[in-house]
Amino acid sequence: MHRKPTSRRAVLAAGVAAGLSAHIPFARAADKLRVAKAISSSFPFAGLELGQQMGAWASENFEVEISVFQGDGRMQQAFAANAIDFGLGSGPGMGYASKGVPARGVAALALEPRNMALVVTNNTGVKSIDDLKGKRIGVTTAGSLTDWLAIQVAMQKGWGPKGVTTVPVGGFDTSRAALKTKQIDALVFAAASGYVAEEAKEWRVLQTMGDVAPDFITHVLFATDKLLKTNPDAAGRFLKAWFETIDWMKANKQKTVEISAKVLNLEPSVMSRTFDAEIGMFSTDGVFLPKPMAVLKKSFVDMQILDSEPNEAVLIDTRFLPVKR
């Protein structure tokens, strides 16, 4: 096929375009982040999916891969294996850093444990906290946060650490059976599960645990030492996007309940109650406040996670705090 000769004007235009394009930066590839949740059933952790849906991660040029573990221990193993970059876990989980796990807390996500509750059956003689003196309280495992909270009930009442007997009963199904067969008199468990059982006329929430441990750090965002060393900017940007998500959640209850109900597999009525009970525990700036940190470090010893209270520098990296939007 015969081609027309290229005009001088076209050649010049192409040259100008090429010159201009050399000065236009290419769009930067998104940072791929592997972010884990220690458990699937925590409302504060649902901020991860909410941030995904509202575009918070994309706004900071992140491509986030979400995974879920069965507890802090499993998630900390993933940190040790360099299988994840960030993790949403418990305050007590920071104790693992003192045992050599290469990850530390970079922000407090949730403070007093309003997401935990003391529950009893509807046919029990326990009508108030005062009725629990000398009773058996079910906890997930010995030395766990639920175990520590049960002991705090006794301490707060002045009964001493032996004022109640804690009984390890495991997860939801075994806990339910232990309550039903009266192997235990009460149970420390996820408040949302208590609300579900309440709607089924099976359990009754006696009290949430925020009043039992008003100075505490229930949930923390962890980052690996490797990421903090090689890409600290990612940590700062991730925290910015996270707390923008929390601001949005606080201002948009209806949509937050709608999305979180699907994430946590809860009825909207239960999710609405969970929102009202727990949204106040969400930190808005990530700061590790001195008094909650002091209580948390003491809890490491109480729960026999550590033999002595650790140095904070081993546990946390505060370079990105307070988070400002």
Side-chain angles (χ1 to χ4, degrees):
M1 182 184 291
H2 178 67
R3 281 185 163 182
K4 292 182 180 180
T6 305
S7 70
R8 185 170 181 273
R9 181 177 294 178
V11 172
L12 288 172
V16 170
L20 288 174
S21 67
H23 294 87
I24 298 174
F26 290 102
R28 187 175 123 192
D31 287 330
K32 294 184 179 181
L33 296 179
R34 302 163 299 171
V35 187
K37 301 194 288 187
I39 56 174
S40 62
S41 58
S42 169
F43 172 43
F45 295 172
L48 202 51
E49 284 85 359
L50 278 149
Q52 191 98 297
Q53 292 205 29
M54 66 177 283
W57 313 132
S59 71
E60 290 295 333
N61 205 31
F62 289 132
E63 183 181 317
V64 172
E65 176 186 293
I66 301 172
S67 57
V68 181
F69 289 91
Q70 306 231 336
D72 269 296
R74 294 290 180 87
M75 188 176 77
Q76 297 292 335
Q77 288 174 1
F79 277 132
N82 192 34
I84 53 176
D85 303 302
F86 288 99
L88 283 61
S90 74
M94 286 197 292
Y96 286 97
S98 293
K99 296 184 174 184
V101 172
R104 63 194 66 211
V106 291
L109 300 187
L111 303 177
E112 69 278 13
R114 299 186 189 186
N115 59 333
M116 305 300 294
L118 263 173
V119 299
V120 295
T121 57
N122 285 331
N123 60 358
T124 181
V126 177
K127 305 301 180 187
S128 70
I129 297 291
D130 291 332
D131 297 326
L132 287 174
K133 185 176 182 180
K135 302 292 187 181
R136 297 158 300 176
I137 299 180
V139 299
T140 51
T141 58
S144 64
L145 175 58
T146 55
D147 191 14
W148 182 81
L149 287 170
I151 299 300
Q152 296 314 296
V153 171
M155 297 296 288
Q156 193 179 77
K157 283 292 180 179
W159 303 335
K162 303 293 185 182
V164 297
T165 300
T166 60
V167 181
V169 290
F172 182 81
D173 291 336
T174 52
S175 298
R176 182 181 182 184
L179 267 178
K180 190 173 182 179
T181 57
K182 300 188 184 300
Q183 296 175 54
I184 54 177
D185 303 290
L187 173 70
V188 178
F189 213 68
S193 296
Y195 303 146
V196 170
E198 233 179 32
E199 287 205 349
K201 311 293 185 186
E202 189 173 354
W203 292 355
R204 176 165 52 88
V205 174
L206 199 61
Q207 177 182 317
T208 60
M209 304 303 278
D211 293 334
V212 173
D215 296 301
F216 200 66
I217 300 173
T218 303
H219 291 313
V220 168
L221 177 69
F222 295 90
T224 63
D225 292 346
K226 179 179 179 180
L227 182 135
L228 292 172
K229 181 178 180 180
T230 61
N231 194 4
D233 176 66
R237 286 162 43 223
F238 187 87
L239 285 178
K240 179 176 179 289
W242 172 268
F243 286 104
E244 285 176 350
T245 301
I246 299 307
D247 289 343
W248 183 90
M249 290 170 69
K250 286 175 175 277
N252 295 274
K253 176 183 174 180
Q254 184 175 348
K255 194 66 178 176
T256 297
V257 167
E258 178 187 327
I259 297 171
S260 298
K262 294 175 183 177
V263 172
L264 301 177
N265 195 27
L266 294 173
E267 291 296 325
S269 58
V270 172
M271 192 64 245
S272 180
R273 186 175 176 186
T274 301
F275 179 98
D276 291 341
E278 298 180 19
I279 196 67
M281 69 187 285
F282 287 40
S283 173
T284 57
D285 60 9
V287 171
F288 294 98
L289 298 172
K291 193 169 182 181
M293 274 300 292
V295 174
L296 183 63
K297 288 194 295 181
K298 183 178 182 301
S299 78
F300 295 154
V301 181
D302 294 341
M303 287 185 258
Q304 299 181 356
I305 294 172
L306 300 174
D307 294 330
S308 60
E309 294 185 22
N311 187 322
E312 280 188 24
V314 177
L315 307 178
I316 59 179
D317 185 334
T318 61
R319 283 180 290 167
F320 316 101
L321 303 176
V323 175
K324 298 175 182 177
R325 277 80 76 202

